[in-house]
Amino acid sequence: MNQNYDPSDRSVQIVIPGDVLSTNVDSIRAAIFDAIESDEALQGGYERICLDLTAAKMIDSAGLNLLVSVLKVAKSRQASVIAKITSPHIQRTFSFTRLDKLIQVEKAETTTA
Amino acid sequence: MAFRFGAVRVRCQVCAGGHVYSIFIPIHAVLPRKQEQLQQKRILIVDDDTVTRSILTRTLERSGYLTCAAANAEEGEVMVNRFGPRNFSCAVVDYRMPGRNGIEFLTWLRLQDETLSAIMLTGEGDKQLVAKILREGAVDYLDKPVIIPDFKQSIANALNLTNQRRKLVDTDSAAEAIGQAQLQMLGLENIGDTDGITICFHPMHQASGDFVGVFRPEGSNCLRVIAGDVSGHDLRAAYFSTFAQGALRGMMQFNASDQHIFKFFNRFLASEWNTAPEVSNLTSIALCGLEIDQQSRRIKLINGGFPIPCLIDREGTVSKLGIGSCPLGWFDDENFEIDIIRAPEGSFLYLWSDGLEDYAEHQGISVFAMAHRLLSTPDPKDQREILRDAIDDIMVVKLEVNPEDNTGEESDSTGFVPLLHKKFAGDESHLIDRSQHWIESSLKYAVPNIDAERLYDLVLCTREALLNAMVHGCASKPDRFCDLTATFNPSRKVVRIRIEDSGSGHGDTYLTAMDPELRDPNPLDRHTGFILLRELPDNIATERGGAVVTMDFTI
């Protein structure tokens, strides 16, 4: 999983390599929290957490709960969360769970597998 | 006369016209009469060179072969046509002859009998010619003048090859004949549209060890069904399967009871058929007999080692019928018990051979999904395509207990068929990705034109509800179980998922609450799994405080 802090726009960039499911959510959580709690990110005072979810085809409730946790941490630091999504199914899930009202969704182009 | 195989060639000299007449004496007058002579191989020699023809003929006769000599292709054709290609075991043909050459004759000969080996004689020594000769089916070529030891060896090889090819063809024909007899005995043409019977029968080879017979004794409301699977996949199994089917049919016509039939066949197999000392020759039959009284929906079942039949009610609920006994032929004192079941209105039975279960497992999908797909695919060509990787005979039968239940105006609102039916242990949540893959593959397989978005919803909700049942309902314990069923109503295009766990439920009314405030899907306050379950299905219902969850998806 790629993660880095970009001081130019004070954002933490995290690329999620695939689905976010109950079976892999713990490792994804650890990687995300490593990034947003890194010295560099904290000392830089990050204002945005950018999650690249373009490789994900499915996010289950455990994955959604992780996003909610990230959102809560971001809120406590007055930061925002941006999610880059390709899958129309995940975009729809964000819509009916109202996560799209709390997380800024960037719809990426659908790639043909 | 025998030397010339009944043929006498006469050349006209008086008129100096140069015509050659072939005269044939009736075959019975010239064919060898002794048994040992009949066993002799007959070899056709076609060569315009009198000396070569004579040397080869004498050489072969001294080696104990029968010969038939022709001076050109036309004469050779006449001999083959007259005696039949199967009366020859080998042909020796010269390449360069007046009229049609040896290759042209060989091409013609292969059309008459592909199994007949031929040796080409050539003086050309041309590689391209040799390649052409071999392409046209000659098994060998010999340069002229012929070296006799080489010729004898080549003849022996050619005879051997003809023999092998003919054995293969004969075996193939026998299997084909048995297969045709089996298909005839299925009596599919006797099953009408209103009988409520659908059969998919897919033998692996020309003949099969599986069989099914459906009979309606005269003047009876009962339908009698007998399905079997003979052990082994060879001709012996196919032969016994055909014999068993014929015998069973006869016994049923004379109203023998299923129990008598089972006992008779078990004794016959154990004490007569399986008398060979080699264990590998043991033949057994997995046999299942059903007697269905269609009016009262009473089913009598007797099962010796056949996969357990399933009774499906209108909601698609699966009940496995009986336990059954050992296959017939194992123990001669086996006692075959009868189970009696009263089927609900609108129900049907699934009966399949173990080949279907094995193939479904191999394909990583549910056996119910596969049964539905096969039985809803009417064209046998398409069925064969679905089963192209099968390694065993496959047979699936769907029997409506009372076809009249499903006729009339209300029939559209009935009829869920099962697609998934599986039990999961509470401690299997770590395998959920694998289970999800099985669920998704099965649903796609059973309903190939399912919309991708709806499939996603179905799979995600099933995963959520199943995990909830394992982790909360079964407390992740290995000795507690939850049941997953997916059923499909083809006329309403609804897939219904039902998950039941052994717990006491979670008591959360959110899933089914009608109050808009209670329904508010705020992800910061709500369990997101419940939001998914609430929002994605067309309808959701719970029982026992959420220990049973039923979701409908219109696809």
Side-chain angles (χ1 to χ4, degrees):
Chain A
M1 201 173 321
N2 288 330
Q3 65 251 43
N4 70 286
Y5 174 67
D6 183 352
S8 65
D9 64 351
R10 291 187 173 181
S11 68
V12 181
Q13 309 274 344
I14 303 158
V15 181
I16 313 290
D19 295 345
V20 189
L21 301 169
S22 58
T23 40
N24 63 2
V25 74
D26 289 340
S27 61
I28 296 173
R29 178 184 290 110
I32 292 174
F33 278 85
D34 278 354
I36 62 178
E37 288 174 359
S38 67
D39 291 344
E40 195 184 9
L42 290 173
Q43 284 163 14
Y46 68 83
E47 292 174 356
R48 300 195 303 165
I49 300 170
C50 299
L51 300 173
D52 184 339
L53 289 161
T54 52
K57 289 191 169 58
M58 181 179 269
I59 299 181
D60 70 359
S61 66
L64 294 174
N65 288 341
L66 169 62
L67 298 182
V68 170
S69 307
V70 174
L71 186 65
K72 284 180 176 173
V73 171
K75 267 188 163 183
S76 70
R77 297 188 186 282
Q78 283 81 51
S80 61
V81 179
I82 298 159
K84 198 173 175 183
I85 301 169
T86 309
S87 160
H89 306 308
I90 296 176
Q91 287 170 10
R92 200 159 48 90
T93 307
F94 269 54
S95 169
F96 69 73
T97 56
R98 297 193 192 172
L99 270 176
D100 61 347
K101 305 277 186 258
L102 306 165
I103 293 175
Q104 189 186 326
V105 175
E106 282 183 8
K107 293 176 184 174
E109 284 293 307
T110 308
T111 52
T112 48
Chain B
M1 196 63 73
F3 166 74
R4 292 191 172 274
F5 218 61
V8 177
R9 223 174 18 258
V10 178
R11 186 181 296 276
C12 177
Q13 284 189 330
V14 176
C15 305
H19 292 293
V20 176
Y21 300 92
S22 293
I23 300 164
F24 294 93
I25 307 299
I27 192 163
H28 59 80
V30 295
L31 281 175
R33 290 178 190 281
K34 289 180 186 171
Q35 190 59 37
E36 61 269 24
Q37 281 178 308
L38 287 172
Q39 299 299 326
Q40 282 180 294
K41 307 286 185 191
R42 294 183 185 104
I43 297 170
L44 174 69
I45 300 161
V46 187
D47 194 332
D48 61 316
D49 179 45
T50 318
V51 178
T52 308
R53 201 168 63 235
S54 175
I55 292 169
L56 298 182
T57 303
R58 275 205 303 274
T59 304
L60 291 172
E61 285 178 349
R62 280 179 193 149
S63 299
Y65 300 116
L66 295 173
T67 60
C68 192
N72 52 46
E74 287 71 26
E75 251 183 57
E77 261 191 43
V78 170
M79 288 182 177
V80 171
N81 282 335
R82 181 162 178 82
F83 301 113
R86 274 266 173 158
N87 269 316
F88 296 96
S89 299
C90 172
V92 181
V93 183
D94 185 27
Y95 168 67
R96 193 169 289 281
M97 293 186 290
R100 281 185 292 158
N101 67 27
I103 290 183
E104 287 170 301
F105 179 71
L106 214 61
T107 308
W108 175 84
L109 195 60
R110 275 177 63 77
L111 290 174
Q112 312 311 304
D113 183 358
E114 278 190 328
T115 64
L116 182 62
S117 303
I119 298 163
M120 186 72 80
L121 306 178
T122 171
E124 308 290 319
D126 182 337
K127 280 187 182 172
Q128 281 186 341
L129 178 65
V130 168
K132 198 174 177 189
I133 287 168
L134 294 175
R135 265 203 310 276
E136 284 308 314
V139 296
D140 202 358
Y141 69 97
L142 296 169
D143 285 332
K144 276 183 166 180
V146 175
I147 299 164
I148 295 304
D150 291 353
F151 175 65
K152 283 183 176 175
Q153 185 57 52
S154 184
I155 287 285
N157 293 343
L159 292 174
N160 193 27
L161 192 65
T162 301
N163 192 33
Q164 284 177 12
R165 285 171 174 171
R166 284 184 176 162
K167 270 187 181 165
L168 267 178
V169 167
D170 290 347
T171 308
D172 216 41
S173 307
E176 189 75 41
I178 293 175
Q180 287 301 319
Q182 287 178 328
L183 284 175
Q184 242 176 329
M185 273 198 281
L186 278 178
L188 295 179
E189 68 280 3
N190 299 327
I191 298 172
D193 291 340
T194 54
D195 287 332
I197 301 165
T198 320
I199 296 177
C200 169
F201 183 71
H202 177 80
M204 257 299 288
H205 306 291
Q206 294 99 326
S208 166
D210 291 1
F211 63 87
V212 62
V214 182
F215 314 93
R216 192 187 295 279
E218 275 186 28
S220 166
N221 282 331
C222 288
L223 193 70
R224 293 188 72 175
V225 181
I226 192 105
D229 181 359
V230 177
S231 61
H233 300 102
D234 52 8
L235 263 187
R236 182 182 157 92
Y239 172 76
F240 190 80
S241 166
T242 314
F243 160 72
Q245 200 180 348
L248 288 165
R249 194 169 176 157
M251 292 170 87
M252 282 177 153
Q253 294 286 13
F254 288 97
N255 287 321
S257 73
D258 279 345
Q259 218 160 8
H260 279 121
I261 291 171
F262 272 57
K263 282 185 176 173
F264 165 78
F265 259 91
N266 188 46
R267 265 202 309 272
F268 170 72
L269 274 169
S271 40
E272 289 183 52
W273 185 270
N274 289 329
T275 49
E278 301 86 24
V279 177
S280 59
N281 273 345
L282 188 82
T283 300
S284 61
I285 316 182
L287 199 63
C288 181
L290 290 162
E291 193 178 306
I292 305 168
D293 185 330
Q294 295 184 306
Q295 290 304 313
S296 65
R297 300 186 196 87
R298 184 169 162 272
I299 301 169
K300 273 169 76 178
L301 164 73
I302 182 165
N303 189 352
F306 202 78
I308 295 173
C310 296
L311 180 67
I312 320 290
D313 70 12
R314 270 194 175 137
E315 297 302 312
T317 310
V318 176
S319 308
K320 298 211 166 185
L321 302 183
I323 299 167
S325 319
C326 296
L328 284 69
W330 283 14
F331 311 109
D332 58 2
D333 58 348
E334 186 67 49
N335 203 17
F336 298 98
E337 299 293 337
I338 286 183
D339 286 301
I340 295 177
I341 303 110
R342 185 82 63 176
E345 193 178 327
S347 55
F348 69 87
L349 285 158
Y350 265 150
L351 200 61
W352 54 59
S353 57
D354 60 357
L356 185 78
E357 293 178 348
D358 294 344
Y359 189 52
E361 193 179 337
H362 179 258
Q363 298 290 98
I365 59 162
S366 151
V367 67
F368 289 97
M370 183 168 275
H372 172 69
R373 173 78 185 277
L374 283 172
L375 294 173
S376 55
T377 304
D379 190 337
K381 272 189 198 164
D382 296 334
Q383 289 179 352
R384 276 198 291 278
E385 180 57 24
I386 294 170
L387 297 170
R388 66 184 178 278
D389 296 326
I391 53 166
D392 195 358
D393 304 327
I394 287 178
M395 181 184 71
V396 198
V397 185
K398 182 183 173 190
L399 294 150
E400 289 175 29
V401 175
N402 184 352
E404 287 176 11
D405 288 345
N406 297 323
T407 55
E409 289 176 5
E410 289 183 11
S411 61
D412 271 1
S413 63
T414 61
F416 276 87
V417 292
L419 302 182
L420 306 173
H421 178 72
K422 194 170 181 179
K423 200 177 271 299
F424 294 86
D427 66 344
E428 287 185 63
S429 60
H430 64 291
L431 302 174
I432 191 69
D433 290 345
R434 203 168 71 184
S435 304
Q436 179 190 316
H437 185 255
W438 177 80
I439 292 163
E440 185 171 358
S441 305
S442 301
L443 293 173
K444 263 163 78 175
Y445 193 91
V447 193
N449 54 356
I450 190 168
D451 175 67
E453 192 170 286
R454 253 358 224 157
L455 181 64
Y456 178 88
D457 296 347
L458 264 162
V459 171
L460 183 57
C461 288
T462 307
R463 178 187 174 102
E464 289 297 329
L466 198 55
L467 273 175
N468 192 48
M470 288 175 183
V471 175
H472 302 296
C474 301
S476 297
K477 291 185 175 170
D479 57 344
R480 289 173 70 174
F481 296 91
C482 53
D483 292 307
L484 162 69
T485 56
T487 54
F488 176 50
N489 187 313
S491 54
R492 286 165 50 194
K493 297 201 181 310
V494 169
V495 174
R496 177 170 293 166
I497 305 288
R498 186 176 192 274
I499 293 163
E500 179 171 8
D501 63 57
S502 51
S504 54
H506 44 71
D508 194 322
T509 54
Y510 165 69
L511 279 180
T512 50
M514 296 303 288
D515 185 336
E517 271 190 32
L518 285 176
R519 289 185 60 181
D520 180 25
N522 185 348
L524 297 177
D525 301 333
R526 291 275 175 215
H527 187 297
T528 49
F530 282 178
I531 299 175
L532 296 175
L533 295 181
R534 172 82 211 209
E535 297 296 324
L536 289 176
D538 294 306
N539 187 34
I540 183 164
T542 61
E543 297 165 48
R544 293 201 287 115
V548 182
V549 177
T550 307
M551 299 173 280
D552 280 357
F553 297 83
T554 304
I555 61 168

